[in-house]
Amino acid sequence: MEKMKLQKLYSDFKPDIDIIENELEKALQSTSHLLNDASLHLLHAGGKRIRPLFVLMSAKFGNYSIDRMKYAAVPLELIHMGSLVHDDVIDHSNMRRGRPTVRSQWNNRVAMLTGSFIFGRAIQYVTHIENPKAHQILARTMVEICKGEIIQIEDKFRINQNLKDYFRRIKRKTALLIESSCEVGAVVAEADPEVTKRLKRFGYYVGMSYQIVDDVLDFTSTDKQLGKPAGSDLLQGNITLPILLMKNHPKILRFIERASKGIVTEQERLEMLQIVRKSDSIKQALKISDQYLEKAMKEVERLPDNPTKKRLKEIALFIGKRKF
Amino acid sequence: MDTTYIENQIEQLKKAIYRQVEHRTLVKYTGDPLVDENQLFYLLLPLLNGDHWDEENYEGVIAVGIVEASLAEHSYIDEHDATSKVQQLTVLSGDYYSGRFYEILANSGNISLIRELSESVILRSEHEIRIYEPNRYAIDDWLETLTIIETECISRFYQLYNYNHYLYIMKKHLLILRLQNELLNYREGNSSLLLQKMMESFQRSEDMNFEHYLQNKIDGLVHQLRELLRTSSMKSELKRYIEERLIRESKER
């Protein structure tokens, strides 16, 4: 059902998204069979391709040409993919999108080289664009994502963190890449600077909402829907919004303590999920996500008239209400 | 120009690289970026020899040094378990350095060098991953892999800025140093995975074992390097410095 909704939203861009999909496949071709297998393994596992979609939608507010825009859209997805491969090494994850991760199918070193190869391809691909501004946005994004991940490691199992810490972290972890997708799309299509700023802000708000929903889904979805055990974030020490809003619930604090020692049982995980699901924090977190979505909508309202405006709103709403 | 002057230049470049990627948490847990002084020497060689050199070149060598440091960090990731905080941050330090090289060059609009270095990262990854492939490579293929790992980024820099006249000397010397290092580790019983793959490819002949083969290979390369130096128009102080490094490294190793 959800996937059908998403396909409908993509319908206007279907031919161009297909081109991006083909380009992604081409970009990941390598003289090494192993690199081919490892990187295509991830590509074929799917993904929503929302970053390329935001690039293309933003470009509709300037001089749109898929032949040019693909050089911006493909690298954005590759940067995302490369960071997933390396994240799985950091998190020791065995499953992603319901399939074994590169690190679990091969090993950490293969995953490191695959991630570096994908990053290399992303940067090589974007050099087809001569505009330094596009490079500056992407480069800054790559650096800031890393800074966000470094903070995430520092913050692991740290109970005394506040909402500000959380928002700062998810801004870098997720919102920035969506913000950059919108900004790069507009910059490469040479949209008006004021329009570019609005699209950038739209991307930021949608990105914040996206990550909050992601953090909620980690507790509310089933293992099957997630393709990994529900509650994995907390098991790995990532204290997300639903937990922060529970204001030091004693059982959750005890769970975090045990998770930090790596001694959580399956029964305890299921119990933790029950507590979080029954609490008010899920509703509160989704309310905050909605507030970001409202801000995103306001930015869309202020954009010049364009058929893509409607699609931007629909995509933003889908992200806020999605169930996978 | 004497050895001290050259080493000061290398030291300055090293510090410039550190400054560009400085990050409090990374320094605390993973230490300073891993830079190879021999590679830094070859990056500075055109400057030391009096070739055309400007700010763009200096920024370029910093970027190359950062790419090398990024890839070096990633080579320290354990194959099976990278869950310790230091290992997790080592993954991120490599990614952070990689982002910083791109950011530095993007800010100055040096798209050509961005392209060259991204292609060298791709090629290096394709070669480094060979040790995990089931394919059986010939021993010369492994030597090519080692050469690419040690020299590809610098080669791209030379090619872009027309410093090709140093290419062969740099390639030979950095390969010699790597092989000497591999040989030393072999003798100490700590063979790298790559050397183990080379050994598998080595066809034992009646009068030569692998260690002799490797030593002969190094001796042959040293002879070729000396020949290249003899016919090179490079400043004599620099030739002497390279000779000194050859002798020093072989003693240290």
Side-chain angles (χ1 to χ4, degrees):
Chain A
M1 184 64 185
E2 289 283 317
K3 280 187 180 156
M4 276 172 64
K5 262 195 239 169
L6 190 62
Q7 278 170 6
K8 197 175 162 223
L9 290 173
Y10 280 38
S11 59
D12 293 355
F13 289 88
K14 176 83 171 61
D16 289 353
I17 287 286
D18 286 346
I19 291 173
I20 300 299
E21 202 65 32
N22 282 336
E23 289 292 327
L24 281 168
E25 187 129 5
K26 265 198 259 172
L28 294 176
Q29 294 297 324
S30 164
T31 56
S32 155
H33 291 304
L34 180 49
L35 269 181
N36 260 334
D37 289 348
S39 47
L40 291 175
H41 170 86
L42 185 67
L43 182 74
H44 294 153
K48 296 186 253 319
R49 310 284 185 252
I50 59 161
R51 293 152 194 88
L53 184 65
F54 280 123
V55 172
L56 301 184
M57 287 198 298
S58 298
K60 287 284 184 184
F61 291 85
N63 302 317
Y64 187 92
S65 150
I66 186 63
D67 289 338
R68 191 156 42 121
M69 294 319 301
K70 68 183 183 188
Y71 294 122
V74 168
L76 256 308
E77 188 64 12
L78 291 178
I79 291 169
H80 172 61
M81 282 174 62
S83 62
L84 292 183
V85 180
H86 284 181
D87 283 356
D88 289 336
V89 172
I90 291 169
D91 297 336
H92 205 69
S93 301
N94 292 325
M95 300 292 282
R96 178 171 290 279
R97 295 170 182 164
R99 298 178 71 161
T101 55
V102 175
R103 69 151 292 278
S104 72
Q105 179 134 351
W106 288 277
N107 64 45
N108 284 339
R109 285 283 299 133
V110 170
M112 292 312 299
L113 291 166
T114 304
S116 299
F117 168 75
I118 296 173
F119 283 136
R121 277 280 192 242
I123 298 175
Q124 181 199 32
Y125 215 84
V126 80
T127 56
H128 286 98
I129 296 169
E130 292 290 334
N131 182 348
K133 177 76 181 160
H135 291 278
Q136 285 155 15
I137 296 164
L138 283 178
R140 180 179 156 263
T141 303
M142 288 175 79
V143 169
E144 291 298 318
I145 288 172
C146 283
K147 284 184 182 171
E149 296 210 37
I150 292 165
I151 294 170
Q152 181 163 304
I153 288 176
E154 285 183 302
D155 283 352
K156 269 191 180 182
F157 299 108
R158 188 166 71 82
I159 295 158
N160 63 339
Q161 55 185 289
N162 54 35
L163 290 177
K164 201 175 151 193
D165 294 324
Y166 170 78
F167 290 126
R168 185 181 60 153
R169 206 166 60 225
I170 67 165
K171 178 192 168 183
R172 282 172 158 152
K173 185 183 167 185
T174 305
L176 202 60
L177 199 53
I178 297 180
E179 173 189 304
S180 302
S181 301
C182 294
E183 190 183 11
V184 165
V187 164
V188 174
E190 295 166 343
D192 175 82
E194 198 51 42
V195 171
T196 303
K197 266 188 212 163
R198 294 213 182 286
L199 286 163
K200 179 183 172 184
R201 279 201 292 265
F202 165 80
Y204 164 72
Y205 293 134
V206 169
M208 293 296 279
S209 166
Y210 185 88
Q211 188 56 49
I212 292 169
V213 172
D214 219 48
D215 292 340
V216 166
L217 289 175
D218 191 64
F219 292 107
T220 57
S221 301
T222 61
D223 296 2
K224 198 181 165 196
Q225 283 169 321
L226 289 168
K228 61 179 181 178
S232 289
D233 285 345
L234 194 56
L235 274 170
Q236 281 160 5
N238 296 324
I239 304 193
T240 56
L241 189 57
I243 298 300
L244 286 169
L245 291 170
M246 288 179 78
K247 297 191 178 80
N248 300 331
H249 187 293
K251 282 192 175 168
I252 296 294
L253 288 181
R254 188 173 139 72
F255 181 88
I256 294 170
E257 195 194 329
R258 288 178 62 76
S260 72
K261 292 174 185 160
I263 52 171
V264 169
T265 63
E266 179 62 3
Q267 183 58 34
E268 286 170 322
R269 179 180 76 93
L270 296 173
E271 206 179 307
M272 175 275 289
L273 287 173
Q274 280 294 92
I275 294 169
V276 179
R277 284 169 186 168
K278 277 186 188 165
S279 77
D280 198 38
S281 69
I282 296 294
K283 213 193 285 177
Q284 286 180 55
L286 290 174
K287 199 175 162 193
I288 294 172
S289 161
D290 284 345
Q291 286 166 354
Y292 277 111
L293 278 185
E294 277 169 32
K295 288 183 180 180
M297 294 301 181
K298 278 184 187 158
E299 293 298 339
V300 178
E301 286 302 332
R302 291 171 192 149
L303 285 169
D305 281 342
N306 184 309
T308 307
K309 271 176 82 165
K310 191 171 164 240
R311 285 287 178 241
L312 280 176
K313 279 186 186 174
E314 286 170 352
I315 288 277
L317 274 178
F318 169 80
I319 280 171
K321 309 294 172 199
R322 78 188 196 281
K323 292 188 174 56
F324 72 93
Chain B
M1 181 167 53
D2 57 8
T3 302
T4 311
Y5 175 82
I6 296 169
E7 284 175 350
N8 280 341
Q9 290 285 326
I10 293 171
E11 198 54 33
Q12 278 178 32
L13 175 57
K14 199 195 279 185
K15 283 182 181 156
I17 291 170
Y18 288 179
R19 273 196 303 276
Q20 287 290 349
V21 294
E22 197 171 346
H23 187 290
R24 185 180 50 80
T25 307
L26 294 180
V27 171
K28 183 177 168 190
Y29 289 96
T30 64
D32 287 324
L34 300 161
V35 288
D36 180 324
E37 290 179 7
N38 292 305
Q39 288 179 331
L40 297 190
F41 166 74
Y42 278 104
L43 283 169
L44 289 170
L45 185 55
L47 165 72
L48 296 167
N49 200 37
D51 283 302
H52 170 79
W53 191 267
D54 57 24
E55 274 182 33
E56 182 182 321
N57 298 119
Y58 200 71
E59 189 181 77
V61 296
I62 290 172
V64 177
I66 293 173
V67 174
E68 295 283 2
S70 160
L71 297 167
E73 290 289 336
H74 283 170
S75 69
Y76 280 88
I77 298 303
D78 185 88
E79 276 181 22
H80 304 292
D81 184 5
T83 50
S84 71
K85 197 169 184 174
V86 170
Q87 280 275 293
Q88 290 176 328
L89 289 167
T90 304
V91 173
L92 291 174
S93 66
D95 290 351
Y96 175 69
Y97 299 162
S98 167
R100 281 294 293 143
F101 111 74
Y102 184 27
E103 192 175 35
I104 290 164
L105 296 178
N107 286 341
S108 57
N110 193 345
I111 314 292
S112 305
L113 189 55
I114 292 172
R115 186 181 300 117
E116 293 298 330
L117 291 179
S118 64
E119 285 172 1
S120 69
V121 169
I122 293 165
L123 191 65
R124 272 187 64 164
S125 305
E126 288 176 331
H127 273 266
E128 284 192 52
I129 211 159
R130 279 180 168 187
I131 53 173
Y132 298 105
E133 288 176 352
N135 315 30
R136 209 178 162 85
Y137 289 99
I139 199 145
D140 283 345
D141 294 329
W142 291 116
L143 289 170
E144 187 204 357
T145 291
L146 282 175
T147 306
I148 282 169
I149 292 170
E150 296 300 318
T151 69
E152 188 61 21
C153 295
I154 305 172
S155 296
R156 297 284 182 142
F157 172 76
Y158 280 1
Q159 283 159 19
L160 184 65
Y161 292 106
N162 294 319
Y163 299 136
N164 289 317
H165 39 293
Y166 304 112
L167 201 60
Y168 291 118
I169 290 174
M170 180 274 291
K171 280 189 166 186
K172 293 262 185 255
H173 192 185
L174 293 180
L175 179 60
I176 291 166
L177 294 171
R178 174 66 188 253
L179 287 175
Q180 283 176 333
N181 198 25
E182 293 285 351
L183 183 58
L184 180 76
N185 289 336
Y186 171 80
R187 284 173 178 154
E188 289 174 351
N190 299 319
S191 298
S192 68
L193 203 48
L194 200 148
L195 198 77
Q196 289 171 37
K197 288 281 180 180
M198 279 179 82
M199 282 157 69
E200 283 173 24
S201 304
F202 176 69
Q203 301 293 321
R204 182 192 289 265
S205 67
E206 280 179 15
D207 56 348
M208 199 186 286
N209 62 23
F210 183 69
E211 190 177 342
H212 281 144
Y213 164 79
L214 212 52
Q215 188 60 64
N216 278 356
K217 190 80 205 169
I218 293 168
D219 293 344
L221 286 165
V222 169
H223 175 74
Q224 289 168 25
L225 176 61
R226 288 198 165 122
E227 204 45 37
L228 282 171
L229 286 173
R230 193 180 63 76
T231 54
S232 162
S233 57
M234 194 192 297
K235 285 179 184 172
S236 56
E237 304 96 295
L238 291 166
K239 289 185 185 179
R240 205 163 40 243
Y241 180 80
I242 294 170
E243 278 286 349
E244 282 169 12
R245 295 292 303 189
L246 263 181
I247 295 163
R248 198 192 318 170
E249 297 285 345
S250 66
K251 277 182 185 164
E252 283 173 6
R253 292 164 200 262

